[in-house]
Amino acid sequence: MNDRDDAAAFFGKVTASTTHELQNVLAIIKENAGLMEDFIQMGPDNLPDLLERVTRCLGKIKEQSYRGVDLTSGLNGFAHTTDRLLAPVNIYEIAKRLIFLTKRVFLQKGQKIVLIDCKNPPSFETDPVLFQKILWHSLECLVEIPEQKSDIRVTIVNSDAGKGIDLCFENPTLDTAYFNRQLQESAKWMDIQTICKEMNLTPSPLAQAPMGIRIMVERTLSIQ
Amino acid sequence: MKNQKIKILLIDDEEEFISTLAERLELREYLCKTAGDGQSGIQMVEKEPFDIAIVDLMMPGLNGLDTLRQIKEINPDLPVILLTGHGSTKDGMEGMRIGAFDFLIKPLDIYALIDKIKLALAAKAPQVKS
């Protein structure tokens, strides 16, 4: 499978997860609309608090509509990352959207992904699809390490030493040598290294606590 | 069969969805209890009797199929209806293979759900409270 075919599989997973969540949004809207119908059929004689009940349903519909808009906007932005092979990528914003759209996939595996706020996130020119694929594979890599059940914290690196992103977890019971061995044996880690090389990014394992993966942007790339 | 005697367990991580569905079923005189994840649902099946369980397939932690397997170990006679998305009908079929009565696709039609509940209860009629 080449990088772009693999990227299509990645897009499929993200889209499936997001549309599943959208189905839940629509299911809640539909049930609340149905509940309002039920109330109206019962009428004010049987339901003295009819107006209050209907207002409560409308509030829930409104709330779910906002949730639906966030999901469709996120999915639309994600879809448009295929528009150009090279585009400016804000590391924090692209990670934020990907984590928002895929949180359910990782929650189903029992893991929460937490993005740490970043006030001054760096941007650089790259292939946005492949960059997201690297982030996705990195998260999958860490989630799939046996006995690793801690939350994964995603932090943007923006210092004089360089710009990039750290994906780490705190697990005092997990041996660092064991983590390193698992990472080196992972096919996804090999993929990450191959793609990073093509994109002038530098991946490295973070072998000391907090353990994880660091992806750094090489200085030759245009960084803002 | 009178609805008010039928006790339904709804298991789904979408709290707003199950609470609203429970309210609609209660207006139709079913008794409903809800659980926000598979593990809590299983604990409820261990502690108290239900006539039927409605279980979402896609849940964080213990997924719907594993929840179904454990429910069937505790109470093999408890009919289970699975809820699934359009893209997951394969999981619904797999659920039926391991003992679910049937599956329905979200968003639901309440009348289709009620029909399915009645069919499931009719299929285990000798054990249902009258």
Side-chain angles (χ1 to χ4, degrees):
Chain A
M1 207 186 284
N2 67 36
D3 287 348
R4 279 265 158 182
D5 286 345
D6 194 24
F10 153 62
F11 263 70
K13 279 188 184 172
V14 175
T15 308
S17 166
T18 312
T19 51
H20 178 86
E21 199 159 346
L22 271 170
Q23 280 179 327
N24 277 330
V25 168
L26 294 172
I28 295 168
I29 289 174
K30 190 166 188 281
E31 287 313 316
N32 275 285
L35 187 56
M36 284 195 292
E37 268 178 9
D38 293 343
F39 290 153
I40 289 163
Q41 274 174 20
M42 290 171 78
D45 293 343
N46 294 310
L47 287 176
D49 57 348
L50 175 68
L51 191 62
E52 205 175 282
R53 284 172 184 247
V54 169
T55 306
R56 181 168 49 88
C57 291
L58 286 170
K60 285 186 182 180
I61 288 172
K62 197 172 167 186
E63 196 177 280
Q64 292 303 317
S65 304
Y66 287 130
R67 182 181 166 200
V69 168
D70 285 346
L71 285 165
T72 50
S73 303
L75 191 59
N76 185 264
F78 177 71
H80 278 296
T81 57
T82 61
D83 290 351
R84 291 161 64 190
L85 283 173
L86 203 60
V89 164
N90 177 313
I91 303 177
Y92 176 76
E93 291 301 330
I94 207 162
K96 186 179 171 186
R97 183 173 56 215
L98 187 68
I99 292 166
F100 171 66
L101 294 176
T102 59
K103 62 183 178 201
R104 198 175 177 91
V105 176
F106 295 107
L107 275 175
Q108 277 184 316
K109 294 178 181 176
Q111 304 245 279
K112 200 170 156 193
I113 316 293
V114 182
L115 175 67
I116 309 302
D117 275 345
C118 175
K119 282 181 185 157
N120 191 18
S123 296
F124 71 112
E125 287 247 324
T126 192
D127 179 334
V129 172
L130 293 182
F131 186 71
Q132 289 173 107
K133 208 180 93 171
I134 290 170
L135 296 182
W136 166 261
H137 274 344
S138 301
L139 291 170
E140 278 192 315
C141 225
L142 299 178
V143 165
E144 285 168 11
I145 287 176
E147 298 162 49
Q148 198 307 92
K149 299 289 170 212
S150 314
D151 289 353
I152 293 170
R153 291 164 67 88
V154 179
T155 314
I156 306 304
V157 180
N158 191 5
S159 66
D160 294 341
K163 323 279 178 190
I165 188 164
D166 282 354
L167 305 99
C168 305
F169 59 85
E170 293 273 4
N171 188 337
T173 61
L174 203 72
D175 180 53
T176 52
Y178 172 81
F179 166 72
N180 259 325
R181 203 169 50 247
Q182 290 291 327
L183 191 64
Q184 299 303 334
E185 287 170 4
S186 161
K188 287 190 177 107
W189 175 240
M190 283 183 221
D191 278 352
I192 292 166
Q193 289 174 299
T194 310
I195 307 166
C196 281
K197 199 174 175 186
E198 288 170 20
M199 298 171 68
N200 290 323
L201 301 173
T202 308
S204 55
L206 296 166
Q208 303 300 318
M211 288 175 272
I213 294 172
R214 168 169 284 181
I215 311 287
M216 294 300 280
V217 179
E218 287 185 10
R219 290 182 181 279
T220 49
L221 294 172
S222 155
I223 305 171
Q224 289 160 348
Chain B
M1 194 185 299
K2 293 202 174 75
N3 283 349
Q4 64 264 34
K5 306 240 175 183
I6 294 166
K7 197 170 163 190
I8 303 174
L9 173 62
L10 298 165
I11 309 175
D12 194 321
D13 63 306
E14 284 286 344
E15 200 275 330
E16 289 291 355
F17 174 73
I18 41 167
S19 62
T20 312
L21 184 60
E23 196 170 347
R24 295 194 74 194
L25 289 167
E26 278 164 359
L27 286 175
R28 288 159 176 86
E29 299 190 352
Y30 290 93
L31 289 175
C32 291
K33 287 223 172 175
T34 62
D37 58 75
Q39 204 56 55
S40 318
I42 289 160
Q43 284 168 3
M44 288 168 81
V45 171
E46 279 174 330
K47 281 184 193 155
E48 55 186 302
F50 289 95
D51 295 305
I52 190 162
I54 296 166
V55 180
D56 186 44
L57 272 168
M58 295 267 279
M59 288 185 289
L62 201 63
N63 66 38
L65 287 181
D66 288 336
T67 303
L68 167 68
R69 281 190 191 96
Q70 292 195 35
I71 287 175
K72 286 292 174 182
E73 274 177 28
I74 300 161
N75 184 354
D77 296 327
L78 181 66
V80 175
I81 295 172
L82 297 170
L83 303 181
T84 180
H86 276 286
S88 321
T89 50
K90 204 173 82 184
D91 288 340
M93 300 297 283
E94 173 64 8
M96 286 178 76
R97 199 187 61 76
I98 59 178
F101 177 76
D102 209 338
F103 67 91
L104 286 169
I105 292 170
K106 275 184 180 176
L108 285 180
D109 178 330
I110 188 104
Y111 301 105
L113 175 64
I114 289 168
D115 283 349
K116 213 62 95 180
I117 291 169
K118 285 179 179 167
L119 283 172
L121 294 174
K124 65 157 232 178
Q127 291 141 13
V128 174
K129 291 171 274 182
S130 56

